[in-house]
Amino acid sequence: HGLLARALGMAGWSLSDVQEMAFDEIRRDLRRPIPMARLLQGDIGSGKQSVIQASMLSMAEVAFQSVFLAPDPLTAEHRFLFAESFFRSVGLEPLLLSHHPSRAQIDLLKRGETLIVYGTHASVSALGECKKLGLVIVEDPSPTGFFDLSQLENLSQRPDVLVFTATPVPASILLSVYGGLALT
């Protein structure tokens, strides 16, 4: 775990016990031969982003690309700016996809030169260009299932999928909307 060990060795960055438990569940799923389909839940401020970043590092460690899909461009930029210095500190160059990815951005995805990508739900079509897509993280802004996960089934590569919501989802909605996802 070179990248993860470097990140955890940095002053001020660590996972709490609960975050470590959540990350362990995700890490186990990432090792399985069948693609992960998991919902990550937690209160606001519980550290879901740290668990997500650790998951992205795990994929980068084995040279697979991780793509974070935010609901809108402003949220995508905010998430990117929050994580950019962290990823750069361990030697990774994250990419922020524009709403309509440029040829240069598509070329980076095709060559697999960038392992950490942030974009919007609208940029899901660009995922087919990824050379080694391993993990797709979807920020679902609504507990009623705003993002249609079936969009990911059309990809030539079947990535692991991690969905999270900004706020905890009530159990009744969780079962009806996210019934096909394991829960962390």
Side-chain angles (χ1 to χ4, degrees):
H1 301 300
L3 289 175
L4 192 55
R6 262 191 283 169
L8 292 173
M10 292 171 29
W13 199 80
S14 64
L15 296 175
S16 69
D17 290 342
V18 174
Q19 291 168 332
E20 187 66 45
M21 287 177 8
F23 178 55
D24 282 342
E25 287 183 5
I26 293 166
R27 189 173 19 205
R28 274 193 300 272
D29 280 357
L30 293 174
R31 289 184 188 137
R32 292 189 176 134
I34 58 170
M36 173 179 69
R38 183 167 289 280
L39 173 65
L40 176 64
Q41 279 206 132
D43 289 330
I44 295 172
S46 64
K48 294 181 294 279
Q49 290 298 322
S50 294
V51 173
I52 288 166
Q53 288 173 336
S55 301
M56 294 172 95
L57 280 178
S58 290
M59 295 307 287
E61 189 72 42
V62 291
F64 277 94
Q65 294 165 302
S66 295
V67 178
F68 185 105
L69 297 175
D72 57 71
L74 184 60
T75 304
E77 184 176 3
H78 172 77
R79 300 291 189 211
F80 173 81
L81 292 173
F82 174 78
E84 181 183 23
S85 63
F86 168 77
F87 286 120
R88 286 181 190 269
S89 72
V90 294
L92 296 171
E93 290 293 324
L95 171 69
L96 177 62
L97 285 179
S98 57
H99 188 63
H100 299 288
S102 67
R103 287 184 193 208
Q105 289 177 325
I106 295 294
D107 193 45
L108 285 171
L109 294 176
K110 281 183 178 179
R111 292 193 319 254
E113 290 184 13
T114 185
L115 298 176
I116 306 294
V117 180
Y118 283 79
T120 65
H121 292 181
S123 57
V124 73
S125 60
L127 298 184
E129 302 296 337
C130 289
K131 181 178 180 179
K132 289 183 76 177
L133 180 61
L135 176 62
V136 175
I137 298 142
V138 179
E139 181 174 359
D140 204 336
S142 164
T144 56
F146 181 83
F147 184 81
D148 182 9
L149 291 173
S150 68
Q151 295 178 61
L152 301 176
E153 293 172 2
N154 299 328
L155 299 173
S156 60
Q157 305 171 61
R158 183 77 163 90
D160 290 296
V161 177
L162 180 62
V163 177
F164 80 100
T165 60
T167 57
V169 180
S172 57
I173 295 175
L174 192 117
L175 290 174
S176 61
V177 176
Y178 298 109
L181 301 176
L183 177 64
T184 296

